[in-house]
Amino acid sequence: MNSKSFKVIYFVIIFIIFGEITARFYLTLHTKSFAPPIKNETELQGSEEYGKNLIIIGDSYSAGFGIPVRSRLSTLLKNMKTHNVYDFTAADNNWLNYLNKLDKSKSIVKKDDFIIILTTFADILYKNDAFNEFFSKPIADFKLSINDTIKKGDIEIDYRVEKSVFKKIYKLIKSKSHLFELLVRNIKTTLKNKGLLLPFGDFYYLYKEGYIEKKHEIEKILAYINNFSNDHGINIIIYLLPDFNTLGITKYFTHYTSAYEKSFNNKSVKIIDGINHFKGKNSYSYCISLRDAHPNGKAHAVIADSLKNQINNFK
């Protein structure tokens, strides 16, 4: 090996080491802390009790990842002082988790209560076998008391689709190298915000094919929700959440919104198009960061105001 080659290798090694240290420092500095959502309405609302209940179902977007408790959706809805608020949101949930939580809320909700389901772009990435199983046999009717709400260990089953070998290797490298993670995240986000998508990965699949392939499954989900609403006299709102670091590129979510809006929108189940709701708004103002699609406190406030108006005008 000549001296020139040795110098190249030497500088590459120095770059990787320095880059890794810098990336670790940056990610540590910018990683948001997250306190779990409050599950019990007496903790959320003190000693006050109201005649109506409101259940929030969703993933980390609606749980309030990276923002203070006071700015989260559950707290903002609690401040209406009209409903006992139950926060059943949890990270990494998808439609199968939501349906199970909906089914297991039967002993809590009563006529004219509200259930709000906040769904994200990736919520159809569930295991197909688990989906078929849910709709092929009756789900146990869990008897939950008002002080024994849905517990994390009871229903937080991982229904996410199995990762391919390539994705597992990719995830392993990301977990070991903060430099690799930061570079990949920045490159993907920069290209995405310029309207350019790499032709692989979950986001590309969802944009191109996912919501077309799963159209009938979404119809089945919405029919289940519609029947639940009618059978129990419950008002249900489905809010379609955008990815908050790509608010300017609405073309990504055309199939996403049409899959829900074209299925139904009746008097007991309302769908709010959050993509259109945030259309034209600046991503900088509403996301945790441009490398993180989670909504910030300002976005939670906008969502809460929209839901409050819908609740007040529900007929």
Side-chain angles (χ1 to χ4, degrees):
M1 182 181 296
N2 58 41
S3 59
K4 187 175 181 180
S5 298
F6 179 80
K7 285 182 179 179
V8 170
I9 295 172
Y10 175 77
F11 282 115
V12 168
I13 293 173
I14 293 298
F15 170 79
I16 292 173
I17 294 173
F18 181 76
E20 192 68 37
I21 293 171
T22 304
R24 286 174 183 269
F25 176 76
Y26 177 87
L27 290 173
T28 300
L29 195 64
H30 291 81
T31 298
K32 304 291 183 177
S33 60
F34 178 65
I38 298 168
K39 298 295 183 182
N40 187 296
E41 92 293 347
T42 57
E43 293 177 339
L44 191 62
Q45 300 190 187
S47 60
E48 294 177 298
E49 290 187 10
Y50 304 98
K52 296 181 179 179
N53 299 315
L54 187 154
I55 291 177
I56 307 170
I57 297 174
D59 70 354
S60 57
Y61 278 42
S62 42
F65 177 88
I67 61 177
V69 172
R70 66 179 181 276
S71 302
R72 294 178 189 168
L73 180 63
S74 55
T75 304
L76 298 174
L77 293 179
K78 175 268 294 186
N79 289 340
M80 290 193 300
K81 298 186 182 299
T82 56
H83 295 76
N84 302 312
V85 176
Y86 293 83
D87 185 355
F88 294 157
T89 57
D92 296 326
N93 274 200
N94 59 39
W95 265 117
L96 286 183
N97 299 97
Y98 304 162
L99 292 176
N100 274 282
K101 290 180 178 182
L102 186 69
D103 192 78
K104 295 175 183 182
S105 70
K106 290 175 183 176
S107 63
I108 296 175
V109 294
K110 56 186 182 300
K111 191 175 186 298
D112 294 328
D113 281 350
F114 279 89
I115 295 178
I116 297 171
I117 303 173
L118 298 104
T119 184
T120 67
F121 194 40
D123 278 345
I124 59 171
L125 295 175
Y126 44 70
K127 297 174 183 175
N128 288 329
D129 289 345
F131 179 89
N132 294 330
E133 183 180 358
F134 182 92
F135 283 99
S136 66
K137 65 181 182 180
I139 303 299
D141 184 8
F142 285 74
K143 300 300 182 183
L144 302 173
S145 71
I146 206 74
N147 293 317
D148 185 25
T149 56
I150 300 175
K151 289 184 170 60
K152 184 176 180 61
D154 182 33
I155 57 161
E156 296 305 335
I157 302 170
D158 187 357
Y159 289 115
R160 290 172 293 172
V161 67
E162 294 287 350
K163 300 291 185 183
S164 65
V165 174
F166 172 78
K167 287 182 180 179
K168 288 178 180 178
I169 295 172
Y170 169 76
K171 187 176 180 180
L172 177 64
I173 296 172
K174 275 180 60 177
S175 68
K176 300 297 183 182
S177 172
H178 289 64
L179 175 62
F180 180 79
E181 177 190 0
L182 193 61
L183 286 173
V184 169
R185 191 191 299 178
N186 284 334
I187 290 169
K188 287 173 66 176
T189 302
T190 300
L191 291 176
K192 193 186 297 183
N193 277 293
K194 291 183 180 296
L196 303 171
L197 285 182
L198 298 175
F200 56 83
D202 290 338
F203 194 94
Y204 183 80
Y205 162 72
L206 292 168
Y207 163 56
K208 281 290 189 180
E209 304 172 8
Y211 279 88
I212 297 172
E213 286 183 359
K214 292 185 178 283
K215 178 177 181 293
H216 296 299
E217 293 180 12
I218 293 170
E219 290 175 351
K220 188 176 286 190
I221 288 170
L222 296 180
Y224 181 89
I225 292 172
N226 185 48
N227 291 335
F228 184 96
S229 173
N230 292 331
D231 291 346
H232 300 281
I234 307 300
N235 303 309
I236 297 179
I237 301 172
I238 300 174
Y239 192 103
L240 307 181
L241 290 165
D243 273 7
F244 287 84
N245 61 350
T246 53
L247 295 180
I249 316 290
T250 56
K251 70 174 185 179
Y252 293 148
F253 308 104
T254 302
H255 296 313
Y256 170 47
T257 54
S258 63
Y260 292 99
E261 291 185 326
K262 291 182 179 179
S263 296
F264 79 101
N265 198 15
N266 62 27
K267 66 178 182 179
S268 60
V269 180
K270 300 293 184 183
I271 295 178
I272 299 177
D273 179 1
I275 310 300
N276 189 58
H277 192 194
F278 282 89
K279 185 177 181 180
K281 297 188 184 297
N282 192 325
S283 291
Y284 285 96
S285 300
Y286 293 96
C287 64
I288 292 291
S289 79
L290 286 182
R291 292 165 297 279
D292 190 330
H294 285 81
N296 62 17
K298 186 176 180 180
H300 270 235
V302 172
I303 296 167
D305 287 342
S306 176
L307 291 170
K308 289 174 186 176
N309 289 335
Q310 188 69 70
I311 290 168
N312 292 331
N313 296 325
F314 222 94
K315 295 182 179 179

